[in-house]
Amino acid sequence: GILGSGRGEESTSVGAPAGTSARDQIMERENETNEEVMKQFFEGHFFSGPTGLSDIGTNDSQRGGEEGTVANELVNLLHDWMEVPSVIANLLHPENGGGGTVKLSTSMGRLNSIQEDEETTMESFSHKKESGGGGGSLGDVEDDEAYKHHAKAIQLARHCNNTWPLLARSVAPSANQRQATPLEYATGSNTPRGLIPNSPLASPKKSRTTAANQQVQTAFSGSSPKNDRVSALTGALKNQLELNPAVPQNQPSQIPPQQQKSSLIPLPHVAIVPGERFRETYYWDTYWVALGLLESDMYSTATGVIRNLLSMVERFGYVPNGSRVYYLNRSQPPVLATAVRAVYETTRDIDLLKYAVPLLQREHKYMTRPEKCINLVSQKTGNLHTLSRYWAYTEKPRPESYREDLDTAKEFCNKFCDTKDSKEKTDRLRADLFRDIASAAESGHDFSSRWFEDRQSIRTIRTTKIVPADLNGFMYKMERDIAWLARQLEQNVESVDEVEYAQELAAQFEITAETRRTAIYEVMWDDSEKRWRDLILRRSKFDMYNIDSTSSDPFLHKNNRFDDPDAVYEYSFAPGPYASDWVPLWCGVFEKNSKEALEACESLRQSPLVDVAGIACSTVKSGEQWDFPNVWAPLTHMLVEGVSEYGGEKNEVYANFAKTEAHKYCKSVSKGLRLTQAMHEKYDCRFFGAIGRGGEYAPQTGFGWTNGVALAFLAKYGGWDEEEEEEETKAPRMGLCETHAREEEEDDDSSDDDTYSSSEEDEQYHYSD
């Protein structure tokens, strides 16, 4: 397995003497002190709050002198998952097309307890191999034909599967004090220790005796069948070990403000974070993380990450951009209802359903606040419709990017503000700029040329004056999924009042969704381009306000922000294309296999966004990370699944297109993993394995939704033809040299206004190996 520091280093034994046998190395690891094992475990892999989490039952009989044994077994659980996860099992069964529904692993909820001694298992497998049989653990099936054909796909799936614990974080609700470091939490010590040679964490398999297996099973005998490895690891730290008894277990619910030293919002369950610099939960990332966890059969953790989002709705009335207090002024694309539905369809967790439905209704109320809604007149029919836009509740720089926003504001004022303008007018312009920047962050596409008036510079950002096609698709899907969940709730409650509530809620959201579907078609569907389009707002003849551009009246300026709930606006189509234009297809705005749905599938298939190694965000080279040449996991997943579900069921051309694009993405991720030993947040559409670039920060590794989408694609579409892959031109490490050279050639040969030719900007985004 590829498991190590979180960047995918091979799990080899560090510092093992040459010629040392595997058995000797194992025995040497067994003799290491439990304290050191726990320290490295926390320092290298987990970032837990002072109280940990409790996903499993407490077994008082195992406390006291058994802490060391349990700690060792927690480390074992980190490596010895239980059985082969279903996504990998499918790849090993080519008779099911590599993407069937084989489920070799149905005991993920049993905490990966080993049912028989590893030596017996290995002996049995060796006997099978000698007799020509298959089976055994995944790492020992090199001779299996299915493994040979899908070796890279299986390696990718294993890496994704093994990465989840490395992305796990926890900040319990009672941990509102300064968040403890992993070392402090584990030992109560502030003295850091170095990495330990020959640590069990560096071993892909750690042998254990039958007695040790029995101890693990006894220690976790009180656990729920739904618990999985991340839940076990974090829950056991509190329930079994009590590693830091100095921290009171029952802390007051309200901590004085002067004691709050962490910006993290406490969450009740384990969180899976994106990775690297992103060390907290992010809203829409979590949907794709949950999909990956479900494919890894980690049902308890998948339910937990969704419950984390619901807990924030319960507390704030919406899901913030991320689980930090400075994200409370905005949300992100509303995919929570879709996430709840995905988890419920897999787990049939009635408690989750009952908990979620009323909270989703609250989130919808937040997403339809007056500031977030725009009244428009259809140019096709003349009908009046209301659609959604992004709107952040702030007029200040983003705290997490304060310096960058101030620099942008300075450039903005230098270019657009007249020295004769009053301070009040300049301040209002700056406030609008900061709101538009934060609103672009709310979209998840921070940043993209789709928000820029000149399609090049953030100085011309105008997010709140754009009605996004993808957002309204998300809203439609949200409303439809809430209605579906309400129907499920209706069938799983007993009291008359609860049944009536569920029926009324389902009917309400079915009507709301159908109203929005009509609005999206009449206003946002471009019949000439066969795709949906973002809208640029402009004043309408129906608008009662006559704005004097020279007036400094703040109320008149406020209306220039297009934020009056009674105003009616006209619009024009924004430039394109952008990958987000096809998101409504995935949201189900058109019926499956309908004429319009097939036209949308065809327009995407013929789109210039479709490149050699994936689907680009746009054709615009702005230097922003949500533009060319970057390929992102969520957009790729939505577009591929949109084509597959709404056009591919009865049309082989679109079914093959979806499968091809899914395999492109997996191949790029797999090649990037082999070249860099890491998963990345974005990739380059021109070279397999090349890492995406641009934006406010360096490319990040981890990576939550990359893991999730790769696992989802492997589970549905299986492995790819590796013989074809070997014939492709091998990209250089990171793909950067050829990428930069090709951009320079394109800049020299192209007269397109969308390309940039500034050598200074090129140099800004040119990374060295």
Side-chain angles (χ1 to χ4, degrees), residues 475-486:
M475 291 298 297
Y476 169 75
K477 188 167 177 60
M478 176 191 195
E479 291 156 354
R480 190 181 65 173
D481 287 337
I482 292 176
W484 184 89
L485 291 166

Side-chain angles (χ1 to χ4, degrees), residues 81 228 232 278 321 345 368 394 407 461 515 518 692 715 732:
W81 299 141
D228 53 47
F278 300 112
N321 186 145
E345 286 180 326
T368 54
T394 181
D407 291 343
I461 194 168
T515 301
T518 301

Side-chain angles (χ1 to χ4, degrees), residues 87-236:
V87 61
I88 304 176
N90 292 336
L91 294 170
L92 292 172
H93 286 72
E95 64 272 13
N96 293 313
T101 58
V102 177
K103 288 283 183 181
L104 291 185
S105 175
T106 57
S107 53
M108 186 63 79
R110 297 202 298 268
L111 303 176
N112 289 330
S113 298
I114 305 300
Q115 302 303 316
E116 55 184 336
D117 182 63
E118 187 181 59
E119 293 182 0
T120 305
T121 304
M122 292 299 296
E123 182 179 348
S124 173
F125 177 75
S126 298
H127 177 71
K128 286 184 178 181
K129 285 187 66 177
E130 291 172 2
S131 62
S137 63
L138 181 63
D140 301 310
V141 292
E142 282 85 5
D143 293 336
D144 188 282
E145 289 301 320
Y147 182 84
K148 285 183 177 180
H149 184 69
H150 294 307
K152 294 176 182 175
I154 292 172
Q155 181 192 35
L156 174 60
R158 289 190 67 185
H159 179 79
C160 294
N161 187 62
N162 290 341
T163 298
W164 295 126
L166 308 183
L167 299 176
R169 304 289 186 271
S170 68
V171 183
S174 58
N176 233 16
Q177 287 181 312
R178 179 184 64 79
Q179 185 170 0
T181 66
L183 181 61
E184 290 172 339
Y185 177 52
T187 65
S189 169
N190 291 313
T191 305
R193 299 286 293 272
L195 295 179
I196 306 164
N198 303 330
S199 166
L201 288 174
S203 171
K205 273 289 186 183
K206 181 170 169 49
S207 177
R208 58 171 67 100
T209 63
T210 303
N213 293 332
Q214 293 173 348
Q215 288 175 347
V216 169
Q217 294 171 10
T218 302
F220 295 118
S221 60
S223 61
S224 165
K226 291 185 178 180
N227 288 325
D228 53 47
R229 49 201 171 201
V230 173
S231 304
L233 290 166
T234 53

